[in-house]
Amino acid sequence: GDSVTQMEGPVTLSEEAFLTINCTYTATGYPSLFWYVQYPGEGLQLLLKATKADDKGSNKGFEATYRKETTSFHLEKGSVQVSDSAVYFCALAYDTNAGKSTFGDGTTLTVKP
Amino acid sequence: DGGITQSPKYLFRKEGQNVTLSCEQNLNHDAMYWYRQDPGQGLRLIYYSQIVNDFQKGDIAEGYSVSREKKESFPLTVTSAQKNPTAFYLCASRKTGGLEAFFGQGTRLTVV
């Protein structure tokens, strides 16, 4: 079956540090890949997505590239801010599976001033 | 503004009671989903519906029930058969042809 594995957290960084959150996946087909962000007490919001190999998704300074050869979709940001503190979820989904999403366990990021 | 509304935000249930969580969307999306989130874990799919009057079990459907009588609404009932219902429940929807999930703000259910 499908699965998504994220690096274990929590991750604590100082403001302006470089962020990487690793995500690898196992899929039976050719999924689209997503990063969602969850702020405390809220639902998830889409951060960025990529629909095919070598696509790069980007939003709000975050980037991730769909690497089919390594089955990875690592999230990066060059300079984090305190406001980036949240839980980040990597996910995959495809049309042939009723659009159901498979999520990783989430990585908690705390950015200190 | 279009979106998904879950209510209530917090819900307390006594042992042996059924409770119903509301999920309403005005995005005109066909597909709707219910997920359960436990601390330190990812989201687990409870039920999903791709069209009105039709729904399927997800990975952890035992102790839960749903209905889809209207396109806009997908309520989840947590029955007394669910042995460990304390969790954060998230409702999501998806438009036809898309794969991005749109989430509500969640309902935190606590058994007291």
Side-chain angles (χ1 to χ4, degrees):
Chain A
D2 300 332
S3 66
V4 176
T5 302
Q6 291 181 229
M7 67 183 288
E8 292 186 14
V11 175
T12 301
L13 296 174
S14 297
E15 208 165 20
E16 300 184 2
F18 184 85
L19 169 70
T20 299
I21 300 178
N22 290 338
C23 170
T24 57
Y25 67 91
T26 302
T28 52
Y30 299 97
S32 292
L33 302 175
F34 304 84
W35 278 100
Y36 291 88
V37 59
Q38 183 180 36
Y39 298 101
E42 298 185 5
L44 279 66
Q45 306 171 28
L46 179 69
L47 180 59
L48 54 84
K49 65 181 179 182
T51 58
K52 60 184 187 296
D54 299 325
D55 270 1
K56 177 186 284 188
S58 61
N59 186 27
K60 300 180 181 179
F62 291 90
E63 293 183 340
T65 301
Y66 191 141
R67 301 289 188 197
K68 188 178 175 184
E69 64 276 13
T70 54
T71 62
S72 65
F73 192 55
H74 305 320
L75 182 67
E76 297 182 335
K77 186 176 186 183
S79 176
V80 294
Q81 305 300 312
V82 172
S83 57
D84 293 328
S85 299
V87 183
Y88 292 82
F89 290 91
C90 186
L92 65 81
Y94 12 23
D95 270 332
T96 53
N97 195 23
K100 294 181 289 182
S101 300
T102 300
F103 293 87
D105 286 346
T107 301
T108 299
L109 170 66
T110 301
V111 180
K112 296 187 173 181
Chain B
D1 288 339
I4 299 182
T5 302
Q6 290 186 242
S7 61
K9 190 171 178 65
Y10 299 96
L11 186 57
F12 297 90
R13 191 195 92 170
K14 293 183 179 179
E15 294 275 358
Q17 280 185 337
N18 292 354
V19 290
T20 297
L21 283 59
S22 170
C23 177
E24 303 279 331
Q25 55 103 354
N26 60 4
L27 298 168
N28 199 35
H29 289 175
D30 287 310
M32 297 186 74
Y33 307 83
W34 273 105
Y35 292 93
R36 171 179 170 140
Q37 184 179 19
D38 293 285
Q41 297 188 33
L43 279 65
R44 293 184 289 169
L45 183 64
I46 304 172
Y47 267 97
Y48 64 101
S49 168
Q50 297 186 79
I51 197 168
V52 174
N53 292 323
D54 187 48
F55 49 83
Q56 285 78 39
K57 293 181 179 180
D59 301 317
I60 56 164
E62 185 175 352
Y64 300 97
S65 66
V66 293
S67 63
R68 187 83 188 278
E69 297 176 0
K70 299 186 301 182
K71 187 175 186 177
E72 301 80 18
S73 179
F74 191 42
L76 173 74
T77 297
V78 184
T79 75
S80 57
Q82 170 50 237
K83 299 306 179 188
N84 184 23
T86 294
F88 191 52
Y89 291 86
L90 288 160
C91 180
S93 70
R94 179 181 64 86
K95 66 180 180 181
T96 301
L99 291 174
E100 171 190 350
F102 293 78
F103 285 86
Q105 294 294 294
T107 293
R108 186 165 298 282
L109 173 63
T110 304
V111 174
V112 296

